[in-house]
Amino acid sequence: MGKSDYDMDIKEMLQEEIEIPKAVDESFEQAYGKIRRGEVQMKRLNNGKRRRIYQKAGVAAAAACMVIALTGVLYVNPALAKDIPILGDVFAKIQQMRDSSPYPDKDKTAYDKIAEHSNPVNDPTNVAENQGISMEISDAYCDGHELYFTLSLKTEDEEMNQADRIELMSYREGSSEPNIAWLTVNGEEVYPTSAMSLQKADDQVYVTLVRVEAMNMPKGTFPEDMDVALNIGAASGYQDSDVPTAEFKTIKGSWKLAFHPQIDTSNNRTTELQAEKDGFVVKEVTKTPSNTYVTLVVPADWAAKNPADVLTDTAGNRIYEESGRIVEQEDGSWIKYMVFDQTDADQFILQMYDKNAELAENEPVPLVVEIPFSME
Amino acid sequence: MVNLVKRAQAGDQDAFIQLIEENKQALYKVAVSMLKNDADVADVIQDTILSSYENLRGLREPKYFKTWLTRILINHCNRILKERQKVVPMKEQLEAGEMEVDTSGREFLRLLNKLEDQYRIVLLLYYVEGFSIKEIGTILEMNENTVKTRLSRGRASFKKVYLKENTVSIYRMEG
């Protein structure tokens, strides 16, 4: 038998169509469901560079708040290193990071506002240290819709210090398999909108801004009295690359952090509406310092086609959608809870497009409906 | 495929799901050949779909979608394998050579189970996925010479399996 015969046999056998087991098939379906329900969002890009949501932006809020806690004495005295915030000269660092790359993903103003309205975390459980890695939650913001908090990490491990980013993992009781780290709010498990992935901010220092959406809570809202806890079991170091790479180092340990954020809704503004066109109804708009929320009814005949939405202000500036949730009604219509970037605009235009329409070459995607609405 | 990738990058969820469906067999075959365990395969497939969706806009060249997706899958598989190495003593790993999947009626899996780990994935990427040696090198983070060597040894390994299987089948026919 010649080489080509073997090649044919190998090819024939390996290309055999195989039945995918039910459990695996279900995992495909579960992933599709998460995508369709908007539980997972595609990250946006700036200037063609891949960025992780909130990483560098997180530094902004961290910076604005941590600086309050810094004093000259603490900063220059290495003997007190354990007592000082993990991040040092934060403002200079942020400026460096901003200069070297355009602000990623989220509108810069929103992060400035989150920083402005956040409060220092003073709970004694906001710092944890183990295996040469210390973690700290230093500032938190909660407007009732979103919880943001800064998370900083300092590593004394030289190899880990080579990482461009460090991702945090958690372990379920009795399991040796790590999972993307989650947190609990009053004991209920909830995942942040993005993996807890800390970006290198300085030598040995990594930071991120963790975001938790109320819509991801089991009841869709935050409890008035909140205890937030993290139980981190491992930190994995990664190096940036055009294609995702495996972690090069993992340090296992135990880092338990907890804090008690305050909900402040005083800066939120909600307008109830009935802006209707062809069965599409904008029912409510809320603006907070961090985001804009729009509640839309999609009629049943269009729900099945899952039309795309584009929100702009009246000057045509697009306000980008960050996430959302769809609740299907008994009649087949949808209530679509959409989360957009923060904006100063009060007058909007929502356009719905039939993105799945069959199109001839160069034919534009058809506009289904255009709904102007105002908060004034 | 390039158009589908572009549509998906523009936010069309259905286009992305269609891309995954088109690569469904490939995803399963690569994952099961590396992990040999359907429960782990289910986990890594879900992780792969979600992380590739999240990061899709980071893919600069849509024509490399399949390479990129396979690389993500292999990274997730490697994570699981690394964890297994940490928790399962080497002796037990050596003893646990058999797949924890039902291979009945699936010639593909039965054959894979007989090939050595280091050759299995290279053969799969080359013959099933149609990747070039250069692309396999990129996906597996190996230099091209290593890929060529493994491909060559994988073929030889397959030859042994093939001859053994044919002999067995003749005996069966005679019996």
Side-chain angles (χ1 to χ4, degrees):
Chain A
M1 183 181 283
K3 181 178 158 185
S4 59
D5 297 324
Y6 290 128
D7 273 9
M8 288 304 292
D9 282 325
I10 297 173
K11 203 167 181 172
E12 198 175 299
M13 283 194 188
L14 294 182
Q15 286 187 343
E16 175 192 358
E17 180 97 359
I18 54 172
E19 187 185 338
I20 294 175
K22 196 178 169 198
V24 178
D25 205 43
E26 279 171 1
S27 75
F28 277 94
E29 292 304 321
Q30 283 165 8
Y32 298 159
K34 285 181 182 176
I35 290 167
R36 286 192 173 112
R37 289 191 299 273
E39 290 174 22
V40 180
Q41 297 289 317
M42 212 180 283
K43 293 168 187 171
R44 286 211 307 271
L45 287 179
N46 257 358
N47 287 357
K49 288 189 81 176
R50 184 169 70 90
R51 306 232 175 267
R52 285 186 165 260
I53 295 177
Y54 316 125
Q55 280 176 339
K56 290 181 181 167
V59 181
C65 306
M66 286 182 197
V67 74
I68 298 164
L70 279 172
T71 70
V73 175
L74 289 175
Y75 185 55
V76 297
N77 188 347
L80 295 174
K82 203 177 166 187
D83 299 323
I84 65 171
I86 286 171
L87 199 60
D89 189 354
V90 284
F91 275 131
K93 185 55 59 188
I94 286 160
Q95 289 308 325
Q96 281 173 17
M97 292 169 97
R98 280 188 182 166
D99 287 348
S100 63
S101 61
Y103 210 83
D105 300 301
K106 191 172 169 73
D107 176 47
K108 170 182 172 296
T109 315
Y111 282 99
D112 289 343
K113 290 192 175 182
I114 291 166
E116 183 189 333
H117 294 283
S118 65
N119 295 305
V121 173
N122 295 318
D123 306 68
T125 50
N126 73 328
V127 180
E129 199 167 352
N130 190 223
Q131 304 292 331
I133 289 180
S134 49
M135 298 182 195
E136 179 186 23
I137 294 168
S138 49
D139 296 273
Y141 161 99
C142 187
D143 58 24
H145 292 267
E146 314 280 338
L147 165 67
Y148 289 90
F149 62 89
T150 58
L151 181 58
S152 311
L153 179 153
K154 184 170 186 178
T155 178
E156 289 164 11
D157 185 285
E158 271 314 304
E159 197 183 351
M160 189 62 113
N161 190 33
Q162 303 307 309
D164 293 312
R165 65 177 202 278
I166 293 177
E167 299 203 350
L168 304 183
M169 313 295 284
S170 294
Y171 291 85
R172 296 199 180 280
E173 204 175 329
S175 169
S176 59
E177 293 291 335
N179 293 281
I180 292 170
W182 63 86
L183 47 89
T184 60
V185 176
N186 292 0
E188 292 198 276
E189 190 176 301
V190 59
Y191 281 84
T193 54
S194 185
M196 288 191 221
S197 178
L198 293 87
Q199 191 79 8
K200 189 157 196 167
D202 211 339
D203 186 37
Q204 300 184 312
V205 175
Y206 297 79
V207 291
T208 190
L209 186 67
V210 180
R211 176 188 182 185
V212 181
E213 292 177 288
M215 68 165 69
N216 288 338
M217 291 291 297
K219 290 180 181 165
T221 56
F222 289 124
E224 257 179 50
D225 199 19
M226 271 203 286
D227 283 312
V228 180
L230 283 80
N231 186 358
I232 307 299
S236 296
Y238 291 79
Q239 280 166 339
D240 282 346
S241 151
D242 274 354
V243 284
T245 54
E247 77 272 23
F248 69 92
K249 174 147 191 173
T250 291
I251 296 177
K252 283 189 182 179
S254 176
W255 298 269
K256 292 184 178 179
L257 298 146
F259 66 106
H260 190 81
Q262 300 296 319
I263 298 178
D264 178 5
T265 59
S266 62
N267 298 293
N268 298 356
R269 189 153 66 93
T270 297
T271 304
E272 289 185 7
L273 305 157
Q274 280 295 326
E276 191 271 341
K277 198 154 189 189
D278 297 340
F280 290 84
V281 188
V282 177
K283 291 179 74 74
E284 190 177 279
V285 189
T286 297
K287 290 204 308 185
T288 70
S290 71
N291 286 92
T292 306
Y293 303 84
V294 177
T295 305
L296 174 76
V297 176
V298 180
D301 53 340
W302 275 104
K305 296 177 187 170
N306 191 14
D309 48 78
V310 173
L311 182 70
T312 64
D313 60 20
T314 47
N317 299 309
R318 184 160 180 188
I319 303 154
Y320 285 95
E321 191 171 357
E322 291 187 347
S323 59
R325 182 168 64 103
I326 291 168
V327 178
E328 191 167 4
Q329 305 298 291
E330 281 184 7
D331 62 0
S333 65
W334 284 355
I335 297 182
K336 201 170 177 186
Y337 300 95
M338 299 180 286
V339 184
F340 292 91
D341 280 348
Q342 179 273 344
T343 177
D344 291 329
D346 279 336
Q347 293 183 322
F348 305 90
I349 297 169
L350 180 68
Q351 295 174 319
M352 303 300 293
Y353 287 91
D354 183 6
K355 65 176 191 282
N356 295 317
E358 292 290 331
L359 300 176
E361 198 173 346
N362 298 325
E363 190 183 351
V365 178
L367 175 65
V368 178
V369 69
E370 187 171 277
I371 313 167
F373 59 95
S374 169
M375 295 186 76
E376 289 173 345
Chain B
M1 187 193 73
V2 169
N3 280 341
L4 268 182
V5 176
K6 285 182 180 171
R7 275 174 53 199
Q9 286 179 320
D12 185 339
Q13 297 166 344
D14 296 332
F16 178 78
I17 289 168
Q18 191 179 332
L19 278 168
I20 298 294
E21 280 292 301
E22 287 178 4
N23 288 284
K24 196 171 184 177
Q25 280 276 327
L27 287 171
Y28 177 66
K29 284 179 178 177
V30 170
V32 80
S33 70
M34 289 184 75
L35 300 175
K36 305 184 204 172
N37 175 317
D38 277 342
D40 286 341
V41 168
D43 286 344
V44 297
I45 283 194
Q46 187 161 162
D47 288 346
T48 300
I49 295 171
L50 297 180
S51 57
S52 59
Y53 182 74
E54 275 191 321
N55 293 297
L56 187 63
R57 287 179 182 142
L59 175 65
R60 293 175 202 171
E61 293 282 347
K63 65 182 176 183
Y64 294 131
F65 174 78
K66 193 170 174 178
T67 311
W68 177 80
L69 181 69
T70 308
R71 173 79 175 271
I72 293 173
L73 176 72
I74 287 173
N75 286 340
H76 282 295
C77 290
N78 282 334
R79 179 175 57 78
I80 298 270
L81 291 172
K82 206 181 265 186
E83 280 306 311
R84 280 190 200 161
Q85 278 175 355
K86 287 177 192 166
V87 296
V88 182
M90 188 54 74
K91 185 170 176 288
E92 287 177 30
Q93 283 187 53
L94 293 172
E95 286 168 355
E98 293 299 308
M99 285 191 168
E100 293 173 38
V101 292
D102 176 15
T103 61
S104 58
R106 293 196 279 178
E107 184 69 7
F108 162 80
L109 293 179
R110 198 178 58 77
L111 177 72
L112 278 183
N113 203 19
K114 294 178 187 299
L115 293 177
E116 288 175 58
D117 285 352
Q118 58 178 325
Y119 305 137
R120 185 184 300 137
I121 188 68
V122 175
L123 285 176
L124 195 70
L125 295 176
Y126 187 79
Y127 286 105
V128 180
E129 306 306 321
F131 286 123
S132 67
I133 286 170
K134 188 178 178 185
E135 285 171 323
I136 295 171
T138 303
I139 292 169
L140 298 178
E141 294 176 300
M142 285 175 192
N143 72 43
E144 289 177 37
N145 286 334
T146 308
V147 176
K148 283 179 192 168
T149 304
R150 292 198 181 179
L151 195 53
S152 168
R153 291 180 182 165
R155 280 194 191 107
S157 180
F158 176 79
K159 183 179 177 181
K160 283 184 198 167
V161 172
Y162 182 90
L163 292 175
K164 190 178 170 190
E165 291 289 309
N166 274 353
T167 308
V168 169
S169 64
I170 290 166
Y171 284 152
R172 280 179 186 158
M173 283 168 69
E174 286 178 348

